[in-house]
Amino acid sequence: MTEHLDELLRLCGLVPLGTVQGGQLPSPERAWHVTAGVQTPTTAVPLVGDDLSTRVDKEWLRLARLQAVIDDQGTFLIALSRSQPWTRVRLTDDVHLSEHLVGDGARAGHAEFVTMAADGSALCGVTTEEYDVWVVADTELLHASPPPPPDPGDVDLASMSPMQLNRLFAPDRLRPPYRDGWVLLGFHRNAHYLTRLHELPESFTDKTVTALLGSHSDVRSAMLSLTDDQAQALADSVGVPVDTDRLAYYLEYQTGPVKSEQSTARRLSP
């Protein structure tokens, strides 16, 4: 992964200087949350038109320098996903970030990456929306406590785009260390997006599932649907909150690697 990442960064016109672990810096996950969570970007680059990659890079570079994300030596931190650590890099004279740092299967210019000052004081993140590439510069939200999640019952679902729904209903990711075990998944009954995600204690075993749901030939074969009464009984036994009025609950056995890659855009088929 490190060799592949270094090669990718060099293609972008960056010199990799090693990963940065821990410390007092805001995490990449927090930086991604800020970038994806704003309602209005600092600037928006339309997807239509020629030279999209060049236009996005120009705006990112302008704002990153304006916010002092890039220091006098041309160095800064970059993260390509929520789960990867920060990598310290240095600019060269030929920058092509938005040509290569895109979502899976996306075209050049449809950029997805976050950058941050080496001291964690400011970020400049880039994410692709429906009609524009958003560039988000920030020095305050990065260090603020995350707001409480919105109440799905107060949201006009019909007026929201799929990307807005995804951001609204994306649950917090599970935290390492990841271990094999059961999780409780709560999907919004109307939007069908995964809204709540609870890791169940090690005492919650296959026998517990069988006792809760009755006889099953292979309890780990797929997601197991819970009735409202079953979800409430489970919640009472392990001490997690449930909202059976708005959410439909399922049990699923996940390995550690699956938990590590838990999708925040997971959705039930309507």
Side-chain angles (χ1 to χ4, degrees), residues 2-70:
T2 300
E3 292 180 0
H4 173 72
L5 177 61
D6 287 354
E7 180 181 354
L8 179 59
L9 294 174
R10 290 189 184 98
L11 284 174
C12 296
L14 304 173
V15 179
L17 301 174
T19 57
V20 177
Q21 300 284 356
Q24 301 301 313
L25 292 174
S27 68
E29 183 176 7
R30 179 60 185 157
W32 276 101
H33 181 82
V34 170
T35 300
V38 299
Q39 297 298 314
T40 304
T42 309
T43 188
V45 181
L47 293 178
V48 297
D50 297 331
D51 301 322
L52 176 60
S53 298
T54 301
R55 289 185 283 124
V56 174
D57 281 344
K58 181 179 179 180
E59 283 303 300
W60 165 77
L61 193 57
R62 179 182 69 84
L63 288 172
R65 284 175 169 158
L66 184 65
Q67 292 284 3
V69 168
I70 302 171

Side-chain angles (χ1 to χ4, degrees), residues 20-22 25-38 77-87 113-116 123 125 138 141-144 146-147 167 170-176 178 197 259-264:
V20 177
Q21 300 284 356
L25 292 174
S27 68
E29 183 176 7
R30 179 60 185 157
W32 276 101
H33 181 82
V34 170
T35 300
V38 299
L77 305 179
I78 190 168
L80 309 189
S81 76
R82 295 173 184 263
S83 58
Q84 291 182 4
W86 290 113
T87 299
F113 61 92
V114 294
T115 58
M116 187 172 72
L123 76 80
D138 171 75
L141 293 175
L142 186 62
H143 304 281
R167 285 204 301 271
D172 290 336
R173 295 175 65 89
L174 298 178
R175 304 285 182 177
Y178 303 109
L197 177 62
K259 287 182 177 181
S260 176
E261 298 173 1
Q262 176 70 53
S263 172
T264 58

Side-chain angles (χ1 to χ4, degrees), residues 12 34 39 51 78 98 101 119 122 160-161 168 173-174 181 196 208 226 229 232:
C12 296
V34 170
Q39 297 298 314
D51 301 322
I78 190 168
S98 300
L101 305 184
D119 63 358
M160 302 184 71
S161 70
L168 176 66
R173 295 175 65 89
L174 298 178
R196 296 290 180 266
T208 312
L226 299 179
D229 289 343
Q232 190 62 61

Side-chain angles (χ1 to χ4, degrees), residues 65-133:
R65 284 175 169 158
L66 184 65
Q67 292 284 3
V69 168
I70 302 171
D71 67 18
D72 294 340
Q73 286 74 46
T75 62
F76 57 95
L77 305 179
I78 190 168
L80 309 189
S81 76
R82 295 173 184 263
S83 58
Q84 291 182 4
W86 290 113
T87 299
R88 188 167 177 262
V89 294
R90 185 174 66 247
L91 285 174
T92 67
D93 294 331
D94 193 21
V95 176
H96 301 283
L97 274 68
S98 300
E99 179 180 347
H100 302 287
L101 305 184
V102 300
D104 292 340
R107 291 178 291 174
H110 291 231
E112 298 285 347
F113 61 92
V114 294
T115 58
M116 187 172 72
D119 63 358
S121 59
L123 76 80
C124 190
V126 180
T127 185
T128 300
E129 298 292 323
E130 288 185 285
Y131 305 109
D132 309 281
V133 179

